[in-house]
Amino acid sequence: MLSPAIDVATGPGWLENPYQPHLARIVRIYRMVPDNWVFTLRFLDEEIGRNFRQQPGTFVMLSIPGAGEAPISISSSPTRPGTLELCVRRVGRVTDALYRLQSNDLVGVRGPYGNGFPVEVMHGNDLLLVAGGLGMAPLRSLLWYALDRREHFGQVTLMYGAKNPASMLFREELVSLVDRTDINCLLTVDSDPGGTWKNHVGLLPKLFDRARIDPRTTYAAVCGPPIVYKFVLERLLPLGFSKDRILMSLERRMKCGVGKCGHCSIGYKYTCLHGPIFTYWDAINLPEMV
Amino acid sequence: MKILKLPKEQLDFFASVLQQFGEVHAPVRTRAGYSFRALERWSEACLDYDRTVLPPKKYFLPPRETMLTYRRPDGYVAGSEGLNQKLVLFGVHACDIFALNLLDKVFAEGVFPDPYYRTRRRNVAVIGIDCEPDEHCFCPSMRADFVERGFDLFFYDIGDHYLVMVGTALGDDMVLATGPLFTPVADADIVEYKRRSALKKTKYQLEVDLRDLPEIFELEYGSEIWEELGRTCLACGNCSTSCPTCYCYDVQDQVELGSTEGPRVRTADTCLYSQHAAVAGGENFRHSQASRIKFYYYHKQRGFVMEHGRPGCVGCGRCIVHCPVGIHVVDVINRLRGVRDAVASH
Ligand SMILES: Cc1cc2nc3c(=O)[nH]c(=O)nc-3n(C[C@H](O)[C@H](O)[C@H](O)COP(=O)(O)OP(=O)(O)OC[C@H]3O[C@@H](n4cnc5c(N)ncnc54)[C@H](O)[C@@H]3O)c2cc1C
Ligand code: SF4
Ligand code: SF4
Ligand code: FES
């Protein structure tokens, strides 16, 4: 028995099966940093590729045949359609299996999922992107979105901190932004063992001394390990940032991506549906958030 | 709503007619307790049961279900066993039907309806039956002692007849398939229905007050009660496995050695297990049993209210009956509220 309002589908409804992965081909593997590679994917079915509407900050469920499924942020910007770039850290069963694949091999992709950054709301404002370590992966889509739609934003600032130059994600690409005038690109490393690093050395929060941020006109997007949130908030809040102008991308265990399996819950929200982008206001109001 | 009555002695005839609508399943007494099963003969059906061990959610979210199979060169092919089998569940209690209506909110409605669940929901007819509360029931507190929808037919005992509410066109077809067995209700039947309904209301022994319960949960987030429950709870998962509204699942790809082909299977899971919120790098967002049992209660009594406007609990009492260490949901809620002697009898 199903109430009539719901019972509209005829046939088994497989056409709209949200669990159906679509086959995509690996067209490029960029061995960026050991255990942090970038995989460029293209859907076999062009129609699916064309209709794939991601927002910066959304993610896909990536299936590797024989291994399983894992949520992975989309690192490429919707302003550059056609392929999807996933920056994947090798940590376990699914990601190991992905690292064993080669160009031209097939994977499964479904999505995009999650709320993404509220880019329409952010239009017309300054942007401050703060990433620590692997946090650059989900922020990169927003970064390129802003650079490609530059007219929609005021001042754009990126602060990114990594342990050392060798572990910096997208290093070459980001270093090439340092001299651009349409973005204040601040890159720092905790230490520079090779002694060849031309940018900043020091902890991420120190970069705040290098930027002029107006909290009334800025949206801050923060992503990184828990320690990054702690130290970045200690800088943002005294500046007078309103709690809903601070956006954070959170990770939880996920088994479905579509609000069913229950694994991604934080307090009373599902990260896959209500997140993964949460405002700081959400964060302090959800038990077990950070 | 169309309301009719059926003489009790005609029930087995009606049941035989039901077979044309699908395989008839009803509660059967087993060594482990009552269980919904396919009937071999109608006499096996036990309609005056208290509660089944597993709720009828097993028909809609099977404890183990194949979702897709990976095969070269087709990729992931969707499909699941028994999806299109027509069943008739006879004798489902109001609280369990209410719970299915709640599962609909998660699996049939919203942005990503689940086609497996929806298909099973379309193929399984539900015939409800009135019940006698026992010392573990508190469905009125959860406002789940009656259902307005979610059944094809609903049977109320009014003495030598059943008063039958016809909920859907399919239910109507079932009625019509029996010829003139069902007849209109008389004034005396309505009086008897109301008398029994009023009497039933007096029989409940447990009560919780839902008013501002989400706020109480917020206020008591740091309560010592959670630590105490965490020390007692064995993480066996019985309370969740047997709960008609719990729906968490896990997903695994099963492959044969040396191959990448095979099924993707989902299995029932529970937030009381230690790995439920574990993520990469050994981090676990709910690292203690106290945090897990707290989450179990929060999701039902706080989160579900935020999301769907009411608690994710129907007061069926299964978690009370099946907890090996006597953790008692009504007791937990009332202690949080500061009402200590509300549980009269346990
Ligand atoms: C919204 C979102 C976006 C994400 N974006 C990215 C991204 O862009 N790039 C990226 O690399 N990752 C991303 N992740 C994380 C990624 O999903 C996980 O690293 C991935 O699921 C790991 O899958 P796996 O099968 O390879 O690892 P698993 O085999 O699941 O294991 C990973 C690690 O977790 C531990 N682990 C796994 N299961 C358990 C368990 N049950 N108990 C205890 N420990 C366990 C293992 O010990 C292992 O170290 C994202 C996650 C989310 C939720
Ligand atoms: S929480 Fe307990 S009483 Fe409530 S619906 Fe679940 S099993 Fe029944
Ligand atoms: S049934 Fe009792 S012991 Fe088992 S998980 Fe639930 S609360 Fe814990
Ligand atoms: S990942 Fe399954 S509910 Fe969010």
Side-chain angles (χ1 to χ4, degrees), chain A residues 162-181:
Chain A
K163 277 207 178 66
N164 50 56
S167 69
M168 181 167 272
L169 305 188
F170 304 101
R171 185 183 66 230
E172 288 164 31
E173 174 181 308
L174 296 176
V175 165
S176 76
L177 295 178
V178 169
D179 292 331
R180 275 171 66 158
T181 52

Side-chain angles (χ1 to χ4, degrees), chain A residues 59 70-73 87-89 91-95 137 250-254 276, chain B residues 275 278-281:
Chain A
F59 65 94
I72 302 290
S73 309
C87 171
V88 181
R89 181 162 64 118
V91 291
R93 188 175 156 83
V94 175
T95 49
L250 299 182
E251 287 188 9
R252 284 297 184 274
R253 193 176 174 85
M254 289 187 180
Chain B
Q275 299 305 301
V279 292

Side-chain angles (χ1 to χ4, degrees), chain A residues 170-220:
Chain A
F170 304 101
R171 185 183 66 230
E172 288 164 31
E173 174 181 308
L174 296 176
V175 165
S176 76
L177 295 178
V178 169
D179 292 331
R180 275 171 66 158
T181 52
D182 58 345
I183 175 172
N184 184 8
C185 180
L186 300 166
L187 306 175
T188 187
V189 294
D190 298 351
S191 69
D192 176 27
T196 53
W197 179 244
K198 305 227 161 39
N199 286 274
H200 304 278
V201 179
L203 296 179
L204 174 62
K206 295 279 267 179
L207 294 178
F208 277 88
D209 303 335
R210 309 268 168 179
R212 210 180 262 278
I213 307 291
D214 183 347
R216 288 161 308 168
T217 57
T218 304
Y219 273 98

Side-chain angles (χ1 to χ4, degrees), chain B residues 20-41:
Chain B
Q20 63 184 281
F21 295 91
E23 184 176 87
V24 179
H25 288 230
V28 169
R29 189 195 302 273
T30 72
R31 221 173 301 159
Y34 294 103
S35 169
F36 275 101
R37 289 250 173 109
L39 297 180
E40 272 160 35
R41 54 203 112 61

Side-chain angles (χ1 to χ4, degrees), chain A residues 1-3 6-14 16-23 62-69 89 91 93 106-108 110 112-113 226 251-270 273-274 285 287-290, chain B residues 67-68 70 73-80 83 104 106-109 111-116 118-119 121-122 124-126 149-152 168 218 221 247-253 255 260 264 266 269 275-280 283 285-286 291 295 299 302-303 306-307:
Chain A
M1 153 69 220
L2 195 60
S3 68
I6 309 158
D7 191 10
V8 288
T10 51
W14 297 130
E16 38 176 331
N17 187 344
Y19 307 112
Q20 175 72 57
H22 302 291
L23 290 182
L62 175 68
S63 284
I64 309 301
E69 238 181 351
R89 181 162 64 118
V91 291
R93 188 175 156 83
L106 295 179
V107 297
R110 58 189 181 92
Y113 297 129
E251 287 188 9
R252 284 297 184 274
R253 193 176 174 85
M254 289 187 180
K255 288 290 184 172
C256 74
V258 292
K260 310 279 187 272
C261 75
H263 282 273
C264 70
S265 53
I266 307 180
Y268 44 79
K269 298 215 174 181
Y270 282 158
L273 288 184
H274 309 111
N285 281 290
E288 24 177 75
M289 188 68 140
V290 205
Chain B
M67 309 180 79
L68 307 139
Y70 182 76
D74 311 316
Y76 294 88
V77 180
S80 176
L83 261 187
D104 281 351
V106 180
F107 286 88
E109 301 166 19
V111 218
F112 299 108
D114 182 301
Y116 306 84
R118 280 176 50 141
T119 305
R121 204 75 165 98
R122 266 202 305 275
V124 182
V126 174
R149 59 185 181 85
F151 55 84
D152 297 289
T168 62
E218 285 289 327
Y221 191 76
Y247 54 81
C248 283
Y249 63 79
D250 192 21
V251 182
Q252 300 286 332
D253 279 16
V255 284
T260 54
R264 175 164 295 169
R266 69 171 158 192
D269 195 7
Q275 299 305 301
H276 192 265
V279 292
E283 169 114 59
F285 291 99
R286 286 187 284 277
S291 64
F295 175 78
H299 185 242
R302 172 84 178 87
M306 284 292 280
E307 191 68 6

Side-chain angles (χ1 to χ4, degrees), chain A residues 54 74 76-85 140-141 143-145 147-149 173 177 180:
Chain A
Q54 97 245 35
I74 303 168
S76 50
S77 164
T79 51
R80 312 207 170 177
T83 56
L84 288 177
E85 288 170 7
R140 179 171 173 263
S141 62
L143 171 70
W144 283 105
Y145 178 90
L147 291 175
D148 289 343
R149 299 266 160 86
E173 174 181 308
L177 295 178
R180 275 171 66 158

Side-chain angles (χ1 to χ4, degrees), chain A residues 125-126 213-219 236 238-242 245:
Chain A
N125 287 271
D126 296 340
I213 307 291
D214 183 347
R216 288 161 308 168
T217 57
T218 304
Y219 273 98
L236 291 175
L239 286 175
F241 263 88
S242 154
R245 282 183 167 267

